[in-house]
């Protein structure tokens, strides 16, 4: 069975410690066929005040490139390896995002909205009311729409991913309340050849399920969306490949016939 994990963080991300090779071994243990490394590249939000430390890609890129190429050769015939980035706030600086994505080695980029103008990274926000949750959603969805227009992004990452943090704080978020905004995002993405990611991290530890949720994934399909990747968002090797097979089953029930992989930023369609 073909299984591709397209969201993985290694020791080249500031919030992960396991090496690329450790993730490859974890992927092989879970039967993963194709693995794309997508370490954080948050240069696009340089100049903003953040409480977390981000690694500009120039600090680690060359080492990551050489490590990847060495492992690609070592594991040839056992697993297909792809090189990518998770671009943080690409919509804030699309020109810089394109500069990063245009590296000839890059196969794939996730355009992720982890924080919005005027707010801290969502990971660090303490929500004290439903009203605060709703106040965040308008600018969050606006930035997702901007990301859908970014040529440097292969897919929009984990739409509604804050659900898992809200879940931990006792709040829920029903994305179906934002159908009009999401429809505009998806139609814009389709027009621009940008897909969406289905992120499985919320399946782990009894959290909030897939991001986006199945009803929103169906809305993407109804808007003409076909480009769809699945990623574990693993930050440790033991999670790499987690939830991929189960999510493929969900996509089949939603009417998808193909999963997307990428090579040199061009989508390929693999039958589910």
């Amino acid at each position: 069975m073909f299984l591709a994990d397209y969201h993985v963080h290694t020791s080249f991300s500031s919030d992960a410690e396991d090496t690329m090779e450790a993730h490859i071994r974890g992927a092989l243990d879970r039967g993963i066929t194709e693995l794309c490394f997508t370490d954080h590249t948050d240069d696009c939000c340089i100049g903003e005040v953040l409480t977390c430390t981000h690694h500009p890609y120039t600090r680690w890129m060359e080492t990551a490139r050489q490590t990847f190429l060495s492992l690609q050769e070592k594991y040839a015939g056992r697993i297909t390896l792809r090189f990518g980035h998770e671009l943080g706030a690409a919509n804030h600086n699309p020109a810089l995002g394109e500069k990063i994505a245009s590296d000839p080695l890059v196969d794939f980029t996730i355009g992720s909205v982890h924080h919005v103008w005027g707010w801290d990274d969502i990971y660090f926000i303490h929500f004290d009311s439903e009203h605060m949750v709703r106040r965040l959603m308008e600018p969050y969805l606006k930035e997702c729409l901007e990301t859908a227009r970014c040529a440097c992004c292969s897919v929009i990452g984990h739409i509604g991913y804050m659900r898992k943090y809200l879940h931990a704080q006792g709040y829920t978020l029903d994305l179906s309340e934002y159908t009009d905004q999401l429809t505009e995002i998806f139609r814009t993405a389709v027009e621009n050849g940008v897909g969406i990611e289905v992120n499985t991290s919320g399946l782990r530890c009894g959290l909030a399920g897939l991001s986006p949720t199945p009803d929103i994934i169906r809305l993407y399909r109804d808007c003409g969306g076909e480009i769809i990747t699945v990623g574990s968002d693993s930050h440790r090797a033991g999670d790499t490949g987690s939830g991929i097979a189960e999510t493929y089953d969900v996509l089949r029930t939603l009417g998808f016939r193909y999963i997307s992989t990428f090579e040199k930023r061009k989508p390929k369609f693999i039958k589910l």
Side-chain angles (χ1 to χ4, degrees), residues 127-187:
F127 291 90
D128 57 19
S129 67
E130 292 283 353
H131 175 68
M132 185 178 181
V133 175
R134 292 179 181 278
R135 271 202 307 121
L136 172 66
M137 288 306 296
E138 181 178 352
Y140 171 78
L141 292 170
K142 177 177 178 291
E143 297 215 12
C144 285
L145 178 60
E146 292 172 357
T147 302
R149 298 188 179 112
C150 289
C152 60
C153 299
S154 305
V155 299
I156 307 169
H158 48 47
I159 295 171
Y161 92 114
M162 70 280 287
R163 291 175 58 255
K164 61 184 181 181
Y165 305 125
L166 291 169
H167 183 274
Q169 296 182 41
Y171 295 97
T172 59
L173 173 63
D174 183 359
L175 287 174
S176 65
E177 297 180 23
Y178 303 92
T179 297
D180 290 345
Q181 296 95 318
L182 288 164
T183 296
E184 183 180 11
I185 291 167
F186 293 151
R187 287 178 176 168

Side-chain angles (χ1 to χ4, degrees), residues 67-82:
T67 301
F68 172 80
L69 289 169
S70 174
L71 292 169
Q72 193 176 46
E73 180 178 359
K74 179 176 180 178
Y75 286 89
R78 298 179 61 188
I79 187 170
T80 298
L81 299 177
R82 302 296 186 195

